[in-house]
Amino acid sequence: MNTIIVDMKAGIDEAAIAQAGRILQAGGLVAFPTETVYGLGANALDETASGKIYRAKGRPSDNPLIVHIARMEDLYRIAAVVPEKAERLAEKFWPGPLTMIFPKKDCVPYTTTGGLETVAVRMPEHPVALALIKAGGGFVAAPSANSSGRPSPTRAQHVAEDMTGKIEMIIDGGSVGIGVESTIVDMSGDVPMILRPGYINREMLEETIGEVGTDPAISGEDTTARPKAPGMKYRHYAPKADMLIVEGEEARVVSRINELVEKELKEGRMPGIIASEETKDRYVGGIVRSIGSRMDELSISRHLFGVLREFDSQNVSRIYSEAFDTPVMGQAIMNRLLKAAGHQVLEV
Ligand code: TXA
Ligand code: MG
């Protein structure tokens, strides 16, 4: 298949959006930018179309997709029960990096929901995404636009690496603003529950609707529990190289990583280091990448997946990373880093 790449970095191209909308309505696949990561879109109400997403990504068929909408009234067309708390969250955070889960209506096919009776819904905050959703008929199923198991794409180039030849179109909207996927909250039970941490954290949710729980399988309290979001059980975001997170007081972290790196260099290997703006000049060898500044959390989340991809292409022998327990997005950032590292952490 010939994959068309359309440049919308400078703004919306109406003719190309209309063309992308026709591709979606005809059952094809279009990758597009959102404020979190790039999505791989298909018509969510067409089971043949959403089925193609699983094939293009190599995604297990029990891993449900998020349905993206552009108008609040469309929520009621696919969700059977919308609690008042969900309406308050939508009012406050949509469009934005929040996905909510509801009992589904019959019009949503099981291929879209991975066989579940519930549907995940999000209204993204990106002009290109909103225009595309409207042009495509209002309901766009979209997982992150990476091959299953690879880091999520934060630039169109990442999408092209994984999807060229497999989908009809990629819309290039430049680099994303947030860089980690949306917060997922299950609204189908008594107490709303966070199934995946993101930019919108528990405190922000609780300020709006009161008590919110966190799935024990992702909070780290229970490492044997099975996550309620099926996708959270896979070893996502996995870089090719083995990865170790070194956690502790900054000076000790830097000196321990330096020791580990020196040993590898002596043995003829080339490791990568995930550092911060504040520490990057204190490493003595290896391939050092600053992920961002500890004074600006978004600079860290925005570069996280890109740095992992870069280390993949450089075939580093191992990745050593500092921990980034930042105030607002710490849980979301560490959730992705811990997964990438297969939960290997060294306390110093
Ligand atoms: O920021 C985002 O959410 C991005 C952009 C493109 O919008 N999308 C995204 O989709 O991250 P994906 O497919 O990579 O992750 C969706 C997650 C998976 O972990 C999946 O298991 C979970 O949402 N999920 C979807 N529907 C669900 C449902 N009905 N119940 C529980 N978990 C669900
Ligand atoms: Mg994903």
Side-chain angles (χ1 to χ4, degrees), residues 30-280:
V30 177
F32 61 98
T34 80
E35 78 280 34
T36 57
V37 300
Y38 274 76
L40 177 57
N43 180 356
L45 305 185
D46 173 347
E47 60 180 328
T48 313
S50 68
K52 288 181 189 165
I53 288 178
Y54 294 88
R55 252 172 291 136
K57 279 181 63 90
R59 181 178 176 111
S61 61
D62 68 345
N63 190 3
L65 309 173
I66 296 172
V67 179
H68 294 67
I69 59 172
R71 290 170 290 244
M72 186 61 193
E73 61 267 30
D74 286 343
L75 173 62
Y76 303 92
R77 291 178 53 194
I78 53 175
V81 183
V82 179
E84 191 261 333
K85 283 180 182 173
E87 288 174 336
R88 267 192 275 157
L89 289 178
E91 171 83 17
K92 173 104 179 158
F93 297 110
W94 277 1
L98 175 69
T99 295
M100 291 190 276
I101 293 176
F102 306 96
K104 77 173 191 72
K105 280 195 170 165
D106 289 343
C107 63
V108 185
Y110 288 112
T111 39
T112 298
T113 67
L116 298 176
E117 293 298 337
T118 50
V119 60
V121 188
R122 165 163 127 81
M123 190 190 293
E125 186 175 23
H126 194 293
V128 171
L130 292 169
L132 175 72
I133 295 163
K134 287 181 189 155
F139 304 92
V140 175
S144 49
N146 51 288
S147 300
S148 228
R150 292 214 71 201
S152 295
T154 50
R155 296 194 288 132
Q157 175 58 36
H158 300 156
V159 180
E161 283 165 23
D162 289 8
M163 293 298 154
T164 299
K166 297 181 182 164
I167 65 177
E168 279 81 358
M169 184 187 275
I170 298 171
I171 303 179
D172 184 352
S175 291
V176 300
I178 295 179
V180 298
E181 305 88 341
S182 60
T183 306
I184 302 180
V185 184
D186 186 351
M187 302 303 297
S188 69
D190 288 340
V191 177
M193 194 181 323
I194 299 175
L195 306 189
R196 179 174 73 183
Y199 176 79
I200 295 173
N201 65 25
R202 184 164 167 171
E203 291 68 40
M204 291 154 80
L205 295 166
E206 288 190 331
E207 252 174 49
T208 312
I209 56 165
E211 189 192 353
V212 173
T214 302
D215 182 357
I218 59 157
S219 62
E221 288 157 34
D222 184 348
T223 49
T224 58
R226 190 185 161 87
K228 293 205 168 50
M232 298 294 278
K233 71 177 182 268
Y234 300 105
R235 188 176 174 244
H236 251 173
Y237 322 120
K240 288 184 203 151
D242 206 38
M243 176 166 155
L244 178 69
I245 297 171
V246 182
E247 197 165 36
E249 190 267 314
E250 189 173 273
R252 294 166 69 102
V253 168
V254 172
S255 80
R256 178 59 73 88
I257 291 180
N258 275 333
E259 277 168 34
L260 292 163
V261 165
E262 264 173 17
K263 186 159 173 285
E264 289 215 28
L265 292 173
K266 274 199 195 111
E267 289 164 5
R269 291 188 297 270
M270 183 53 75
I273 301 168
I274 301 182
S276 57
E277 280 304 299
E278 289 77 18
T279 56
K280 66 176 186 204

Side-chain angles (χ1 to χ4, degrees), residues 258-320:
N258 275 333
E259 277 168 34
L260 292 163
V261 165
E262 264 173 17
K263 186 159 173 285
E264 289 215 28
L265 292 173
K266 274 199 195 111
E267 289 164 5
R269 291 188 297 270
M270 183 53 75
I273 301 168
I274 301 182
S276 57
E277 280 304 299
E278 289 77 18
T279 56
K280 66 176 186 204
D281 297 326
R282 287 154 58 192
Y283 291 102
V284 295
I287 301 175
V288 183
R289 283 288 167 273
S290 164
I291 185 175
S293 167
R294 289 181 185 278
M295 314 302 288
D296 174 7
E297 293 185 54
L298 280 172
S299 72
I300 295 174
S301 61
R302 201 179 280 150
H303 295 121
L304 194 160
F305 289 133
V307 168
L308 295 177
R309 275 187 183 253
E310 206 184 319
F311 283 145
D312 273 358
S313 66
Q314 286 165 323
N315 285 309
V316 294
S317 54
R318 199 150 193 227
I319 301 168
Y320 297 101

